[in-house]
Amino acid sequence: MAGRKVIITGVPGVGKTTVVNEALKKLESEGVEYQSINFGSFMFEVAKKEGIVQDRDQMRTLDRAVQKRLQQLAAQAIAKLSANVIIDTHASVKTPKGYLAGLPEWVLREIMPDLIILVEADNDQILMRRLSDETRTRDKEGSRAIKEHQQFNRSIAASYAMMTGCTIKNITNADHLLEYAAQEMADVLR
Ligand code: AP5
């Protein structure tokens, strides 16, 4: 029997990976297992092999057709997994030419998620997290642009629910309240 497919999204720097890791620790102690997958890593492995990018933050500047091909290859690989899977990805990606759907029809058709989680946080808190993360090349944008991106993600998530019948869960990852966000995530994954 195929396992549950859960998609975790959130704007860069919102802390989705941090919340997922905390939630998985809680579930592991209860014997609930999920395989955690980063969609961007699947795309990056292919892009790196083809020599078209050197780091993962360059992918969102690639030609739209190339990003679409990378999305499709990642979705096909993930669809083959039979375990319960958490897919860490983006509801939309901010490219130089506008928002790109992270879960377009050709991705959703392969994965058919049961649940999509939107991790959200205060716009200023996201800005500060991006500024203090020196390991990545984060987009330079203000809190108004971050707000617009978070709003866009809510809108596009509604269309994903219409296409697949999955449910949508919003989780707030506020500063100093990681434990609360992780508990909320563990509760919906259980
Ligand atoms: P990806 O690797 O997913 O990039 P990202 O959005 O930057 O994700 P991260 O996991 O690095 O950030 P995060 O927001 O989860 O934050 P983190 O936990 O590190 O994707 C890379 C690329 O792949 C994309 O740019 C795109 O090009 C491509 N891609 C991916 N999916 C795609 C798709 N579907 N279609 C097309 N392209 C796709 O935390 C951030 C910081 O916040 C940390 O410093 C952390 O310590 C801190 N923090 C977290 N929580 C808290 C808290 N509660 N309080 C205080 N600090 C906190």
Side-chain angles (χ1 to χ4, degrees), residues 10-19 38-41 43 56-57 59-60 67 71 88-90 93 100-103 129 132-133 136 138 173-178:
V11 298
V14 74
K16 57 189 156 43
T17 308
T18 306
V19 181
N38 187 294
F39 196 89
S41 299
M43 289 175 59
R56 56 198 297 120
D57 289 310
M59 286 197 294
R60 52 188 179 269
Q67 292 191 58
Q71 283 178 323
D88 186 336
T89 186
H90 293 277
V93 179
L100 177 86
L103 303 166
R129 289 175 199 169
S132 50
D133 183 358
R136 300 287 300 269
R138 303 286 190 187
N173 177 31
D175 275 355
H176 314 298
L177 291 173
L178 173 63

Side-chain angles (χ1 to χ4, degrees), residues 137-155:
T137 314
R138 303 286 190 187
D139 291 340
K140 289 182 180 51
E141 54 184 6
S143 67
R144 201 182 306 172
I146 293 171
K147 179 180 177 189
E148 180 197 276
H149 195 179
Q150 293 205 97
Q151 283 171 340
F152 185 80
N153 281 347
R154 280 196 174 199
S155 309

Side-chain angles (χ1 to χ4, degrees), residues 16 18 26 32 40 52 57 64-65 83 86 90 103 113 137 141 157 162 179 185:
K16 57 189 156 43
T18 306
K26 290 177 184 295
V32 180
I52 51 181
D57 289 310
R64 192 161 56 94
I86 285 185
H90 293 277
L103 303 166
T137 314
E141 54 184 6
M162 292 291 291
E179 168 63 24
M185 189 176 285

Side-chain angles (χ1 to χ4, degrees), residues 115-134:
L115 168 67
I116 297 179
I117 299 176
L118 267 78
V119 180
E120 299 173 325
D122 178 85
N123 307 305
D124 292 327
Q125 289 181 8
I126 294 172
L127 181 61
M128 291 313 294
R129 289 175 199 169
R130 286 186 191 177
L131 290 174
S132 50
D133 183 358
E134 288 172 0

Side-chain angles (χ1 to χ4, degrees), residues 52-79:
I52 51 181
V53 293
Q54 272 99 47
D55 78 71
R56 56 198 297 120
D57 289 310
Q58 289 173 342
M59 286 197 294
R60 52 188 179 269
T61 62
L62 292 171
D63 182 73
R64 192 161 56 94
V66 177
Q67 292 191 58
K68 176 177 172 179
R69 184 171 56 82
L70 295 174
Q71 283 178 323
Q72 219 156 7
L73 290 172
Q76 283 163 0
I78 291 167

